[in-house]
Amino acid sequence: MSVIELESVSKRYETGGEVVDALDCVDFAAARGEMVTVIGPSGSGKSTMLNMIGLLDTPTDGRVRLDRQDVTDCTADELTEQRRSTIGFVFQDFHLLPMLSATENVELPSMWDTSVDRRERAETLLRRVGLGDRLEHTPDELSGGQRQRVAIARSLINEPDILLADEPTGNLDQETGRTILEELTRLKTDEDVAIVSVTHDEQMLEYADRVVRIVDGVIE
Amino acid sequence: MRVSSLFRRVPSVLMAWRNLGRSRVRTALATLGIVIGVVAIASLGMAGAALQQQATADLEGIANEVQITVGEDNDAGGIEPEDVDDIRSLSTGAEVVPEQSNHTTLASRDGQEMPVSVTGVTEANVLYDGADGELPDRLRSGALLTDETADQLGLEPGDPIEFDGQLYRLEGLIETEQGFRFVNNELVLPPEALSSQTAYDTVTVVADDGDEAQQIASAINERFNEPDDEQLRVESFADTQDELDSFMTTLNLALLGIGSISLIVASVAILNVMLMSTIERRGEIGVLRAVGIRRGEVLRTILIEALLIGVLGGLLGALCSLAVGLLIFRLLVGDAMAVFGWASLQYLVYGFAFAVVASVLSGLYPAWKAANDRPVDALRG
Ligand SMILES: Nc1ncnc2c1ncn2[C@@H]1O[C@H](COP(=O)(O)OP(=O)(O)OP(=O)(O)O)[C@@H](O)[C@H]1O
Ligand SMILES: [Mg+2]
C-alpha cells in the first residue's frame, strides 16, 4: 500500500516569458519498506518531483496524496505539520547546523516539542548509524560520511513514513557512499519507511528495489 | 557544550543564544551600538537631573521667602514703618525682617578702597549665613561683613569699621553667596546706623514653606496693590521654583530627545545586523522549515536573538551610564553618591527599556522575512 502518491502531477515554471514544464503529468507511488531510486539527466525534474513528494512545493496540476489523504490544497502551515510528522529529509550537502552537537542536530526537528524528550531516541539513532562515540561532536569535528549519517539520524527522529534523499552520496567518495547506502537499506526495513532517493551515482542502483527514470519532466 | 535543562525548555532561546555565539564580533558590534545609545540617553537624562538638583539646592532656603521692595507707583520712596506693621499682621507665624540699605566705601589700613552696600537690619541671622560659626541673634552695636570683602581689606573680627562718622566693632563674617541669593561686598549694621532714613528698602518675610510664602505674598499683594497701582513689589521665590521646574522639564525632554536619536541609529544597526545574518543563514532556515519547524518558531527564535542583543546592550549600557552618572554628579553637584536617587536612576531604567524595545522592533522585519521565506526557495539558495 503506497504511503505517498502523485497523480498526474505537473509543475510549470514561468520566468520572464519563458515556460518550463519541470514535471509533466507524472504518476508516482512509493510504499513503506521499499527504496525507490529516481535517475535522469540534469535538469530533468528529479528535484522538482522530490519537492512535490516532500510537500515542500505544490503542483500546478494534479493531486498529491499522503497516506491516501489528499494534501494538494493544504495551507503552508498544514504542510509544515505533515512534514514534521511524516517526512524525513536527507540533503546532498548535509545541512547540519554548525552550532549544535550531533545529538542536538538529530533532535532538531522535535526540538520545539517540549512535551517529549527525544534525547534518548536521538542517541539511540546515532548509535545505530555507528556514531555512538561522537554524540557531543559538532559538525565541523566530523567527516563527510559521519555528517551524512547524522543527517540520516535526524531524518528519522520523528518516526517518519517517508525518507527523501536528494543525492545523499553526491558529496561522498565511493567507499563512504556505499556505507551510507547500506545504512539506508538497513533502516528501510528496521524503521519501515519508504525511501525515495535521487541520484547520479550508478552504484546506488544496486541498492534500489525499484528505479524510476525521468527525462524532461516525464517518467519513462 | 552541554545543554542546560532550562534551555531545553525554551528551544527558541537556546537556538538564539547559539546563533549569537556563532558570530561573536558581529554580536559584539551590535551590542556596542546599543550600549552607546543607552549611555547617550541615560547620561543626558542624568545630566538634566543633576542640573535640576543643583538649581533646586541653590533655591533651597529662599523658596520659603517673600521679598517686598518699593513698588513702581509708590511715591514715598520706601516702605513706611506702618506698612511694615501691616505686613507683620498679614504674616502670622512667619518672621518679618525689614532692612534699610545704603552705600559706602570702606578703606583698608594700607589705603585700599572698596565700595560696599550697607544693610541695616536687626535679625541678621535670618538673612545671612555665618562664614564660620553662628551669627549673633540680634545685631545691637556691632557690624558684619562678607568674608571675601574682609579678606581683601585685611579686616578681622574685633577690628573697628567706620560708617557715617561712627565706629562699629566687626562682630562676625558672613558668607559670600552667588546664585539666586546674591550676597557680595555687604556691610551689615544695626538699623540705628541708618536712622537718618525712616523708611525701609526691603522687607523679607520668611515663612515655614513655599506654599505659605505664596499665601502671604498674595495677601500682601491684595492689601497694598491694585492691578494698575503697585505700591509694593512682592516677590516670592516659590514662583521661581515653579518656573525653574518647568524649564528643567523642557531641558530634560530636549536632552532625552538628543539621546534617543543615537538609540535610533543603534537600532538601525541592529536591523542591518539581523537582516544580514538571516540572509546569510537563509539555507539553514530553509532546512529548519523543511524538517517541520513552524513559522512562528523561526520568527520567535530570530526575535529572541534581537531581544538578547537588546537586553545585553541595555544592561551593559546601564552599567556604563551609572559610571558616567557618578562622574556627572561629582562634577555638577559635587557629590558622586547623589546619583543614587530615583530622579537620576530612572534614566537607567528608561535607557534599558528603550534598548529592549528598539531591538525587538528592529528584529521584527528580518524575523518576519525569514519565517515567511518558502523552504523550497530558501533551500535552492
Ligand atoms: N524555481 C524555479 N524557477 C524556474 N525554473 C525552475 C525552478 N526550479 C526548477 N526549474 C527548472 O525546472 C527544471 C527541473 O529542475 P530540477 O531542479 O528538478 O532538475 P534536476 O533533475 O534536479 O537536475 P539536477 O540533476 O541538475 O539536480 C529545470 O529546467 C530548471 O531550470
Ligand atoms: Mg536536483
Side-chain angles (χ1 to χ4, degrees):
Chain A
M1 188 197 70
S2 52
V3 61
I4 182 78
E5 215 179 316
L6 302 185
E7 189 194 310
S8 354
V9 160
S10 299
K11 183 69 182 178
R12 170 172 297 175
Y13 291 111
E14 290 176 40
T15 36
E18 209 178 325
V19 178
V20 179
D21 283 307
L23 291 180
D24 192 5
C25 242
V26 166
D27 289 306
F28 175 86
R32 282 198 185 82
E34 77 167 337
M35 163 125 71
V36 185
T37 298
V38 183
I39 57 166
S42 184
S44 55
K46 306 184 293 296
S47 295
T48 307
M49 185 169 126
L50 219 57
N51 288 342
M52 297 298 150
I53 300 171
L55 310 184
L56 288 171
D57 211 346
T58 44
T60 321
D61 252 319
R63 314 303 300 174
V64 181
R65 273 186 214 97
L66 185 69
D67 241 347
R68 277 189 293 180
Q69 204 188 327
D70 194 327
V71 293
T72 323
D73 300 319
C74 283
T75 65
D77 289 337
E78 287 166 346
L79 291 178
T80 303
E81 297 302 323
Q82 296 284 6
R83 287 199 303 272
R84 190 201 281 258
S85 57
T86 51
I87 300 170
F89 289 91
V90 176
F91 304 94
Q92 178 174 353
D93 28 12
F94 326 131
H95 280 318
L96 301 177
L97 297 196
M99 72 289 189
L100 299 184
S101 70
T103 313
E104 287 164 351
N105 261 296
V106 174
E107 280 182 278
L108 184 70
S110 66
M111 198 175 262
W112 272 265
D113 281 336
T114 41
S115 54
V116 287
D117 189 356
R118 298 279 190 169
R119 190 173 187 86
E120 205 120 300
R121 175 163 166 86
E123 287 176 359
T124 309
L125 283 170
L126 279 173
R127 281 193 201 96
R128 285 248 294 274
V129 295
L131 291 176
D133 53 349
R134 296 283 187 276
L135 299 179
E136 295 304 319
H137 285 57
T138 52
D140 59 355
E141 296 163 346
L142 298 173
S143 73
Q146 288 171 330
R147 287 182 207 181
Q148 196 59 304
R149 278 185 268 174
V150 173
I152 289 170
R154 177 180 67 189
S155 72
L156 293 169
I157 189 73
N158 280 339
E159 300 172 9
D161 302 326
I162 308 157
L163 198 163
L164 301 178
D166 199 342
E167 312 213 29
T169 59
N171 278 354
L172 303 173
D173 61 60
Q174 190 97 1
E175 194 57 38
T176 318
R178 187 166 290 275
T179 63
I180 292 297
L181 289 169
E182 273 158 13
E183 208 70 74
L184 286 174
T185 309
R186 209 156 49 74
L187 289 168
K188 153 187 95 175
T189 36
D190 286 3
E191 295 284 326
D192 195 29
V193 287
I195 300 184
V196 182
S197 64
V198 163
T199 194
H200 281 117
D201 186 358
E202 284 298 319
Q203 71 172 345
M204 209 166 164
L205 302 182
E206 295 171 33
Y207 294 87
D209 297 311
R210 196 145 61 83
V211 176
V212 169
R213 181 177 298 272
I214 184 168
V215 175
D216 283 339
V218 180
I219 289 185
E220 299 196 324
Chain B
M1 268 223 288
R2 194 93 191 153
V3 195
S4 82
S5 56
L6 182 76
F7 258 6
R8 295 179 63 83
R9 285 177 191 285
V10 274
S12 294
V13 177
L14 167 70
M15 293 290 285
W17 183 251
R18 293 279 177 83
N19 277 331
L20 289 178
R22 275 160 78 180
S23 42
R24 297 230 163 81
V25 175
R26 187 153 63 187
T27 306
L29 286 176
T31 310
L32 182 66
I34 288 293
V35 168
I36 293 171
V38 172
V39 169
I41 283 203
S43 50
L44 284 175
M46 288 194 291
L51 284 176
Q52 180 155 18
Q53 193 160 329
Q54 183 53 41
T56 309
D58 281 347
L59 264 182
E60 199 151 81
I62 61 168
N64 59 338
E65 291 185 8
V66 182
Q67 204 161 62
I68 302 145
T69 47
V70 180
E72 58 181 12
D73 305 313
N74 190 330
D75 303 323
I79 307 171
E80 300 297 330
E82 311 87 85
D83 296 341
V84 176
D85 289 340
D86 272 354
I87 292 171
R88 258 185 231 286
S89 67
L90 289 169
S91 317
T92 41
E95 206 153 352
V96 177
V97 186
E99 9 170 345
Q100 293 167 319
S101 45
N102 206 329
H103 296 276
T104 189
T105 304
L106 291 183
S108 67
R109 289 198 189 94
D110 54 13
Q112 198 191 339
E113 295 206 327
M114 201 142 178
V116 294
S117 49
V118 183
T119 304
V121 64
T122 307
E123 300 88 339
N125 65 321
V126 178
L127 294 182
Y128 303 101
D129 291 326
D132 33 34
E134 289 286 299
L135 295 173
D137 260 5
R138 308 187 76 78
L139 204 56
R140 297 266 180 233
S141 56
L144 303 174
L145 188 61
T146 40
D147 53 355
E148 284 177 13
T149 323
D151 203 37
Q152 280 162 343
L153 294 172
L155 291 171
E156 282 180 15
D159 287 346
I161 288 176
E162 199 207 311
F163 174 73
D164 205 15
Q166 253 203 282
L167 281 179
Y168 299 86
R169 206 175 68 88
L170 182 55
E171 249 179 49
L173 300 179
I174 54 182
E175 221 174 333
T176 304
E177 284 182 50
Q178 308 293 338
F180 293 98
R181 171 57 148 318
F182 189 77
V183 181
N184 197 14
N185 291 341
E186 195 153 329
L187 175 65
V188 185
L189 296 172
E192 297 79 42
L194 296 141
S195 53
S196 53
Q197 309 167 226
T198 51
Y200 296 94
D201 300 285
T202 313
V203 176
T204 307
V205 179
V206 183
D208 286 340
D209 54 45
D211 286 344
E212 206 183 305
Q214 255 176 326
Q215 276 168 20
I216 293 172
S218 52
I220 296 172
N221 243 326
E222 221 171 284
R223 163 72 183 73
F224 289 96
N225 299 332
E226 300 290 327
D228 52 354
D229 178 34
E230 189 187 50
Q231 290 294 318
L232 296 181
R233 178 184 295 273
V234 183
E235 281 177 292
S236 123
F237 294 100
D239 296 339
T240 317
Q241 175 84 64
D242 287 347
E243 277 165 33
L244 182 82
D245 282 349
S246 90
F247 168 71
M248 279 299 168
T249 309
T250 315
L251 179 71
N252 259 1
L253 278 179
L255 288 178
L256 283 183
I258 295 169
S260 23
I261 289 175
S262 53
L263 205 53
I264 289 169
V265 172
S267 46
V268 172
I270 290 201
L271 175 65
N272 184 39
V273 164
M274 296 304 300
L275 212 51
M276 292 306 287
S277 102
T278 48
I279 287 170
E280 249 169 52
R281 286 183 287 157
R282 190 179 182 209
E284 224 170 78
I285 293 165
V287 174
L288 285 177
R289 298 277 293 111
V291 303
I293 307 301
R294 304 180 179 102
R295 287 188 298 176
E297 292 159 347
V298 170
L299 185 95
R300 235 180 303 152
T301 302
I302 297 170
L303 273 185
I304 287 173
E305 280 179 39
L307 178 73
L308 286 176
I309 292 180
V311 169
L312 203 69
L315 283 178
L316 284 176
L319 224 65
C320 295
S321 308
L322 187 59
V324 174
L326 286 168
L327 195 69
I328 290 176
F329 271 75
R330 165 115 197 69
L331 293 176
L332 292 184
V333 183
D335 176 16
M337 289 304 141
V339 78
F340 292 104
W342 176 244
S344 44
L345 290 190
Q346 61 178 330
Y347 294 104
L348 297 185
V349 178
Y350 297 160
F352 177 78
F354 206 161
V356 170
V357 171
S359 306
V360 172
L361 283 183
S362 41
L364 269 179
Y365 173 67
W368 177 87
K369 197 168 131 75
N372 286 292
D373 200 4
R374 291 195 333 139
V376 241
D377 301 332
L379 281 170
R380 193 188 303 276

